[in-house]
Each structure stands twice: as C-alpha cells, then as structure tokens.
Amino acid sequence: MFLHLSQLSALLLAFSTGAVTAFPTYGSLAGYSREELDQIIPTLKVQSPTPPPGPLNDTSAKLVNDKAHPWKPLSKGDIRGPCPGLNTLASHGWLPRSGVATPAQVINAVQEGFNMDNSLAIFVTYAAFLVDGNLVTNQLSIGGKTPATGPDPPKPAIVGGLNTHAVFEGDASMTRGDAFFGDNHSFNETLFEEFVAFSNKFGGGKYNLTVAAELRWQRIQDSIATNPTFSFVSPRYFTAYAESTFPINFFVDGRQGDGQLDLTVARGFFQNSRMPDGFHRANRTMGTDGLDTIAAAHPISPGSNQGVGNYVLDPTSADFNRFCLLYTNFVNQTIRSLYPAPTGILRKALNTNLDYFFGGIADSGCTQIFPYGHN
C-alpha cells in the first residue's frame, strides 16, 4: 500500500432518465448529494462493518509465494491500481484476485503476506477505505473504475478508486506519474529507470535507505519543476515518505533481511505484481522503519506549487512534528467534505469505520473526533 494506501474503489454509476440503474458494490459513496444517496443506497446489499483483525501470533519469516498463493495473470475484469504491494497480494491470492476486498481482507493480506504492523495496517486501510470504499457494502477496490459497471456518474462523485488523485493517492510517486500528466496509476518505465539509476549510483546496485532518501528528494524536485499543480501536503506528505520505505521493509526476502533490495526483484513487484520464487516475508513485524532517516536527509516542509517551480509552504498542513493534525484534518476536512450530512445506514457505517480508523493510532496521544456524533 504504498501509500498511495494507495484510495481503493471504483465508481461507475449508470443513470437512465435520471434514475440509478446500476452501482458497483465497491463504488465509493463519497461526494453524492442527499437525493442521489437516497436513490443509490436502497439498491445496495447492506454489509455491516466487521472489526479489524488483530496482530499476528506468528511474526517470523515464512514462505508466502507458496503452493496456496501462486502468481497468476489477470483474468478479465480483475482490477489493479497504483499500489505495487496490494497489486502483488492480489495477483498471489492473498487478496481476492478480482482486486475487490473488504478492509479486514486487506489488513489480513498485508499482515500475512508482508508482516506489516497491525496498527499501521489498520490506519492506512481505513484511511483509504473511508474516502474510496463503499461504506454500505463494506467493499473496496485496489484500483480504478471498470467499464463493466457502466458509464461514469455525475459530479461531484469520485470516479477513480485508488487512482483518485489528491484524496489519498498523491504526487511524486517512485514508479507512477503525477496525475497532472494523465496517468497516476500505471507502471512508468521512465521512472523505474530513474529508480535503477539512483540505486546504481547511491546503493551499489541495490535499493536501500540511502537510495530512498536521494530518490525521494529527486522525485519531489521533479514534480516542483514540472507539475504546476504539485501538492505535497498531508496526508501525501506522510505517505510519500512511507512509500519510500516499503520496498525495503516488505520486498526484501525475510531470510535476507539486510535492507538491500535487488533490482530484478523490485521490477517484479513494481511492474509485474509478482513475488520472486521462494519469497519469504519479513522476519519480523515491519512498519515505516527508516522513514525518519529518509526525511532527515533532505528536509522540506509541506506545501504546493502555485505554478511550475513556485513551491509555496502550507503552514496549515500536518507535518512530522504535528502528527495528530494529520488525523484531525483528515476527519474534519477530508471526510466531512466528502460526507457533509450523512444519515441512516451511511452515518452509522461512517461512525463505525471512523472508530476503526482511530484504533490504528489510539496509542499516539491524539484525541478522537466524532464528526457525526455517536451511533
């Protein structure tokens, strides 16, 4: 969930003479008017949220590219998105191969397949689900829209799932382009060649924390110099640095465990959504280990471009010294803007999933927010 966690649903709605005729079970309900929601929700099969899974009992390295989880090519209709980790878990069957899953399935998959820390898995999964998932059916997509579900819905609906820009997915990805240039979810060979070049220059042919720090800085500078709409504020400010650590923490074989990612293995994950033969997950629970090292190498404050090359700081954004502001702004600004006045089933589902979301940071000292009251 390279976060890009990242962002998780597809949204296609068919309208016939103003009436809803089809809506995917994993389509986000964010951004719809009260009248549209009154049409959509009765057509959906309500699935109550289930509590997130707890931590693994066994967090040792183990074979995860096994007989029960072989890589398979995509079948017709399967969905993949901008997150190489989630794409890989789906292509190996740790997630449903369709690319549509529940939050609990995502948390189970990232824990079992990659040994991701439980609190991190909960926090990033529910952050993505709240903005890009279907809170009534409890379904989300790891990629974008699919033509099988009909034409695009009217604005202001979100259409792209994990591919949706500036809600959870963001600019300056390592192997995906900025949304401004037209494709923020497909593997980008030019960017991967930059990944390889930096690994050769700074890592002796491997991707490691030294490379990650230099490449993260370069990708930020690339976007400042070329993307007039570049945005580097919370939550992307956090997920960009986390994204840089994930290949080291989750794509290096757990029997190796030295923080040195082979470039052929990297291409397998990033481009082909494929673990190498005999791949073992990390040999201990992992999170964003190394993030501080990467961020400290080339410090930059949150901000955004006001035209090409004109990067303006944003003092209202959360940063590493104000983590709780990340949570506060996400709930009070992002979620409330997408769901300004939910009622009934939707409001209940929002409150439940917001509780689960906060559970991922319950020990951080942040104060829980209840934008829609209590169920």
Side-chain angles (χ1 to χ4, degrees), residues 49-53 94-95 101-111 125-126 129 138 140 353:
T50 57
W94 286 102
L95 279 172
T102 68
Q105 286 175 318
V106 174
I107 294 167
N108 271 325
V110 296
Q111 289 190 139
T125 297
Y126 282 99
F129 180 61
N138 202 40
L140 48 84
N353 283 289

Side-chain angles (χ1 to χ4, degrees), residues 350-372:
L350 272 163
N351 281 340
T352 300
N353 283 289
L354 282 166
D355 283 346
Y356 295 157
F357 172 55
F358 182 76
I361 59 166
D363 296 331
S364 65
C366 301
T367 301
Q368 187 171 4
I369 299 167
F370 300 93
Y372 310 114

Side-chain angles (χ1 to χ4, degrees), residues 8 10 25-27 77-80 90 95-102 105-106 138-143 146:
L8 286 173
T25 60
Y26 50 86
D78 287 350
I79 296 170
R80 299 293 182 267
L95 279 172
R97 294 181 187 272
S98 65
V100 177
T102 68
Q105 286 175 318
V106 174
N138 202 40
Q139 294 285 314
L140 48 84
S141 162
I142 66 170
T146 167

Side-chain angles (χ1 to χ4, degrees), residues 279-347:
F279 182 74
H280 285 58
R281 71 185 187 190
N283 59 16
R284 61 182 177 88
T285 298
M286 300 292 286
T288 58
D289 308 54
L291 185 150
D292 291 348
T293 299
I294 296 170
H298 299 283
I300 185 171
S301 296
S304 61
N305 266 5
Q306 305 299 316
V308 172
N310 183 24
Y311 185 76
V312 179
L313 302 185
D314 184 350
T316 69
S317 172
D319 57 25
F320 296 125
N321 295 317
R322 298 183 294 171
F323 174 78
C324 288
L325 187 59
L326 164 65
Y327 166 72
T328 301
N329 286 352
F330 185 79
V331 174
N332 282 340
Q333 297 176 14
T334 303
I335 301 301
R336 294 192 70 171
S337 69
L338 295 173
Y339 295 99
T343 60
I345 293 169
L346 180 57
R347 175 181 170 275

